Amino acid sequence: MIANYHTHTARCNHAVGTERDYIEQGIANGLQVLGFSDHAPYLFNDPDGYYSNMRMRPEEFRDYCDTLTALREEYRGRIDIRIGLEMEYYPAHFHRTLQWMQDFPLDYLILGQHFLGNEKGCRYCGGRTDDEAVLKQYVDQVIEGLHTGCFTYLAHPDLPAFTGSDRVYARHMTRLCETMHALDIPAELNLLGLMQGRAYPSRRFWRIAAETGCRCVLGCDAHTPTATAEPTIIAEAMDALAQFGLTPVETLPLKDPFAALYTKKD
Ligand SMILES: [Zn+2]
Ligand SMILES: [Zn+2]
């Protein structure tokens, strides 16, 4: 692994360590590219003041960018630092938030759909369920998000812990994989899920991804510095993917995070 685009910072309230800790660990483990993609600030503009506790606040975004810009200069020639965000696609707030982000030096976005709908009052995508409607809504929403053209890749596509039949699972995940294939957007094999023994990565998802011809990429989803390109987890992931005939891409061209703003007609 020479590039990782999925790294968090303490601003999301559930990651630890300094940016420098992640960078030093990444260098020690052989990374040439380290992308930070903390949970995106979101402009909910909620009348009741709703805000997530698992993402930075909008007023923290400037410091996030400034800190990473300074480190990018400091580490130039040793490792290539990129400034990204892991962001959900919430249709009610996405374009407004993106417009606001244009004033910041954002290099890329990855799509990580943690909640359905527009988050507030909506279901967490990773909860166990056998309800096909929930799986369908996840897939529909992610497909719509991918079509914005803003996202470099899809993080943990297999987040839904669907407990229903393989047939129903395949019906929807095949649609998702076919969309990623058609748009040439890679699916992430999430190393944090692997490390923590979560429901994802899911074997039945990766079987479908391989059959569909999806490209895949490894993402550390590091919330602790030690999880940055951790060699034993990478080896485990490579073995798992090899069983499906998959080899992850090493580096990715970053898609313009603001692509949707040039085509949107309000
Ligand atoms: Zn997180
Ligand atoms: Zn993440």
Side-chain angles (χ1 to χ4, degrees):
M1 186 179 208
I2 58 170
N4 168 53
Y5 302 96
H6 196 164
T7 315
H8 291 276
T9 78
R11 291 174 194 77
C12 68
N13 305 313
H14 62 279
V16 296
T18 65
E19 292 83 354
R20 188 180 298 280
D21 295 336
Y22 290 86
I23 294 166
E24 291 289 343
Q25 189 69 54
I27 292 171
N29 285 333
L31 288 184
Q32 297 170 15
V33 179
L34 180 58
F36 281 85
S37 52
D38 206 1
H39 295 282
Y42 233 112
L43 302 190
F44 291 103
N45 289 11
D46 187 72
D48 305 322
Y50 171 81
Y51 200 75
S52 326
N53 63 1
M54 46 68 75
R55 65 179 74 254
M56 74 178 81
R57 301 198 67 97
E59 54 270 28
E60 293 176 289
F61 192 35
R62 178 58 67 189
D63 176 68
Y64 177 74
C65 292
D66 287 352
T67 301
L68 293 176
T69 300
L71 288 165
R72 172 160 59 193
E73 294 311 311
E74 181 183 334
Y75 281 90
R76 190 177 293 279
R78 298 175 64 196
I79 190 167
D80 188 3
I81 308 289
R82 300 294 171 90
I83 305 173
L85 291 168
E86 177 181 20
M87 190 168 183
E88 296 82 358
Y89 175 66
Y90 295 143
H93 313 301
F94 183 70
H95 280 87
R96 185 177 64 249
T97 302
L98 213 54
Q99 259 158 2
W100 166 76
M101 286 176 178
Q102 276 189 297
D103 291 338
F104 298 84
L106 182 65
D107 294 323
Y108 72 99
L109 294 173
I110 59 176
L111 177 56
Q113 193 68 33
H114 297 97
F115 293 89
L116 297 175
N118 295 299
E119 184 170 309
K120 185 190 179 190
C122 294
R123 184 189 273 265
Y124 172 60
C125 295
R128 287 168 61 87
T129 179
D130 64 356
D131 185 349
E132 180 176 359
V134 172
L135 181 64
K136 179 179 183 300
Q137 189 185 351
Y138 170 82
V139 169
D140 287 348
Q141 191 161 349
V142 168
I143 286 176
E144 194 175 315
L146 293 175
H147 276 289
T148 64
C150 300
F151 295 103
T152 289
Y153 79 59
L154 175 59
H156 43 59
D158 43 358
L159 179 60
F162 185 69
T163 55
S165 74
D166 287 352
R167 187 176 51 82
V168 171
Y169 187 77
R171 178 184 302 156
H172 297 288
M173 286 307 195
T174 301
R175 293 194 292 129
L176 176 57
C177 289
E178 284 173 348
T179 301
M180 282 188 284
H181 180 64
L183 298 176
D184 198 24
I185 297 174
E188 177 202 72
L189 190 292
N190 189 274
L191 298 178
L192 179 67
L194 191 64
M195 191 165 68
Q196 298 188 337
R198 295 184 179 180
Y200 60 92
S202 149
R203 292 187 62 82
R204 62 179 174 174
F205 174 84
W206 286 98
R207 187 173 302 118
I208 295 165
E211 285 167 5
T212 315
C214 274
R215 290 197 300 153
C216 73
V217 59
L218 301 182
C220 296
D221 201 356
H223 288 75
T224 54
T226 51
T228 312
E230 207 287 307
T232 58
I233 297 298
I234 294 169
E236 201 180 314
M238 297 295 281
D239 284 350
L241 288 170
Q243 291 170 26
F244 300 108
L246 290 168
T247 309
V249 295
E250 286 281 13
T251 61
L252 285 174
L254 301 179
K255 287 197 196 299
D256 182 347
F258 304 113
L261 297 177
Y262 316 135
T263 52
K264 168 90 172 161
K265 300 172 211 60
D266 306 91

